[in-house]
Amino acid sequence: MGDAIKNKEENKYNKLIVVLSVVIPLAVAALFGVNLKKLGFDVEPLSFLPPIYATVNGLTAIVLVAAVMAIKNGKQKLHENLMKFAISLSVAFLVMYVAYHMTSDSTEFGGEGTIKYIYYFILITHIILSVVIIPFVLITYVRAITKSFERHKKIARITYPLWLYVAVTGVVVYLMISPYYVH
């Protein structure tokens, strides 16, 4: 397939990438602010979810590393399947994260001193990059499915470390705040 055809095929997805890159963070932010109990719904807090979605983040990190190893070893189909799995894990994380925050009050970090600054640095960079990574993942994926592999490889070099950072820091944030969860 020629570059012009590949680019045209990619362009079909650009509007969807832009829409999803805006809608997903806005929806998460809006739903994060919705507490079903405060709205009068009789719902039990989903307090069991944080360790599960932290585990999903950790699994995402492992799957990302395995996917890179697979492609470096020429196992394209395995790489493709692992990347689809990583995307599915990220979507599952997002659903659980939003569900938890819609049914539970936010937990404040109780650490003091230097650890508090470290926690907030990790948390803030995690949040910012979790928004930034959305279009990168989508563009990287589209370049793969349109078989624009050279362009896929170029952006994957940026997407991979960012996504890995988001996955790993998701686990770190959980581990740092978990002692302060109200059970």
Side-chain angles (χ1 to χ4, degrees):
M1 198 181 329
D3 286 343
I5 295 170
K6 287 180 187 175
N7 288 342
K8 186 175 182 185
E9 197 172 341
E10 279 181 45
N11 287 338
K12 290 190 311 188
Y13 294 99
N14 285 347
K15 286 180 185 167
L16 182 59
I17 290 170
V18 169
V19 168
L20 290 173
S21 297
V22 171
V23 168
I24 291 170
L26 288 178
V28 170
L31 292 172
F32 189 87
V34 172
N35 186 309
L36 295 175
K37 269 195 169 196
K38 291 178 182 170
L39 291 176
F41 292 94
D42 185 28
V43 292
E44 287 298 314
L46 301 175
S47 56
F48 62 92
L49 283 178
I52 296 170
Y53 63 67
T55 302
V56 167
N57 259 335
L59 185 56
T60 302
I62 292 166
V63 170
L64 289 171
V65 171
V68 169
M69 290 170 55
I71 200 64
K72 286 186 180 206
N73 289 314
K75 298 178 180 178
Q76 188 173 343
K77 191 63 181 171
L78 177 59
H79 171 78
E80 179 185 335
N81 290 336
L82 288 169
M83 291 312 301
K84 287 177 181 176
F85 187 40
I87 291 169
S88 299
L89 288 169
S90 290
V91 170
F93 162 82
L94 198 55
V95 169
M96 287 185 281
Y97 180 80
V98 168
Y100 169 76
H101 283 284
M102 288 181 72
T103 62
S104 306
D105 292 328
S106 290
T107 301
E108 286 192 36
F109 182 71
E112 296 179 9
T114 305
I115 196 71
K116 185 174 188 172
Y117 294 106
I118 292 169
Y119 170 78
Y120 281 109
F121 173 80
I122 294 169
L123 177 64
I124 290 167
T125 58
H126 170 79
I127 292 169
I128 291 169
L129 290 176
S130 69
V131 172
V132 168
I133 196 63
I134 295 168
F136 279 93
V137 169
L138 295 173
I139 291 166
T140 305
Y141 183 70
V142 164
R143 288 182 180 176
I145 64 172
T146 59
K147 299 188 183 345
S148 183
F149 294 120
E150 282 307 309
R151 296 178 73 228
H152 167 80
K153 203 155 90 171
K154 270 186 181 174
I155 195 167
R157 288 187 178 122
I158 299 165
T159 305
Y160 170 69
L162 292 176
W163 195 358
L164 187 60
Y165 179 87
V166 169
V168 170
T169 56
V171 176
V172 172
V173 165
Y174 167 74
L175 291 173
M176 291 181 80
I177 200 162
S178 62
Y180 306 105
Y181 281 120
V182 178
H183 297 285

